Each structure stands twice: as structure tokens, then as C-alpha cells.
Amino acid sequence: MILVSACLAGENVRYNGTNSLNTKIRQLVEAGQATMVCPELLGGFSTPREPAEIIDGTGEDVLDGKASVIERSGRDVTELYIKGAYFTLEQANILQAKLVVLKEFSPSCGSRSIYNGTFDGVTRTGNGVTAALLARSGFQVISEEEFVKIHN
């Protein structure tokens, strides 16, 4: 079983109420070979929601208490991101996921790159909170970009 970001399967759960549909991922969900998850919704957010970025670190740093996830307005939403990450980990364990495909650049799901914390659209190397927790827990976590390379 593959665990995938719900937005990649076409669900309108991104912060701005849109999706990032990947047709192949949607087909896997429809065929029962993948299950959708949205860590941010599991953490207690709704759609749409204010954009958030990791400040002064990566998802690893957030888990270690060294960085925060902050909304554009300045509200600290770190605990909601951590909560969503742990709920996602629970789902991955229940499913015994062999692979996790998450949306790149997200403060939850970025597996290789995230936004740099300045809300200026610039990315940097690093992972989101959920991606970091899943990787720490032994799951293979890749981005939709890596998934496309593997499955084309």
C-alpha cells in the first residue's frame, strides 16, 4: 500500500483550497493501491487556511523543538503540524505503507525542499514536519516529482 498526499490525488485540501492532481496517483487511489492523507487536516486545520512556513529550520528541527511553523500573519501553528504528523504516522503504521508520496515544498509534506520561511516563494533544502517524522520512523518518503521519475 502507498500512502499519498490527498492533494496529489485531486482533493481540494491545499491551503488555498486547490489540489495538485497527479493522474497516476489518482489512478492508484481509485484502484485501491494507495490511500490518501492530509496531515494538515488531521492536525486540525480547515480548507482554505492561511499559508504557513517553517521558520529557522526544517521539519527535523520542528520535531526537535528547535524551529517553529508560523502562519503568514505570525500565528505559531507548530503544535497543529506536529499533531498532524503523528496522526499521519499512525495511518502509515496501520496501512503498513511500503511507500509514502508527499507534496514537495509543503511545511508538512516536503520531502527534499520546503519554503525558506520568509513567505517570498523561495525554497531551500529541507523536509516538512510529517515527512521528517515518517522518515525517522523508517518509511520511504518521496516527493511527487520523484514518483513521476519512477513511474514513467
Side-chain angles (χ1 to χ4, degrees):
M1 182 59 68
I2 300 172
L3 189 64
V4 300
S5 289
C7 63
L8 297 175
E11 298 295 306
N12 293 325
V13 295
R14 294 186 69 225
Y15 75 95
N16 59 4
T18 65
N19 66 66
S20 295
L21 177 63
N22 175 296
T23 307
K24 177 65 174 168
I25 289 174
R26 182 71 199 169
Q27 290 170 347
L28 290 173
V29 170
E30 289 172 352
Q33 297 173 314
T35 299
M36 299 181 290
V37 66
C38 178
E40 293 173 16
L41 294 184
L42 289 173
F45 289 99
S46 59
T47 302
R49 58 191 165 276
E50 191 173 349
E53 295 186 9
I54 297 174
I55 308 297
D56 296 326
T58 66
E60 291 280 345
D61 297 318
V62 171
L63 292 172
D64 292 340
K66 299 175 185 173
S68 301
V69 186
I70 307 295
E71 290 180 332
R72 181 180 284 146
S73 66
R75 182 172 78 123
D76 187 326
V77 290
T78 304
E79 290 306 314
L80 294 174
Y81 276 81
I82 292 171
K83 178 181 172 185
Y86 277 95
F87 277 131
T88 302
L89 174 61
E90 185 177 317
Q91 290 299 310
N93 282 323
I94 289 168
L95 291 168
Q96 298 180 326
K98 302 299 181 211
L99 179 66
V100 181
V101 183
L102 299 177
K103 177 70 183 108
E104 199 66 280
F105 308 122
S106 160
S108 288
C109 297
S111 62
R112 303 286 179 269
S113 298
I114 55 174
Y115 287 104
N116 70 0
T118 60
F119 298 94
D120 59 7
V122 176
T123 60
R124 65 183 188 83
T125 301
N127 53 10
V129 179
T130 298
L133 182 62
L134 291 171
R136 269 189 187 179
S137 301
F139 289 95
Q140 181 185 2
V141 180
I142 65 172
S143 71
E144 74 278 14
E145 296 160 358
E146 292 170 288
F147 179 81
V148 167
K149 289 177 187 172
I150 293 169
H151 290 89
N152 266 348

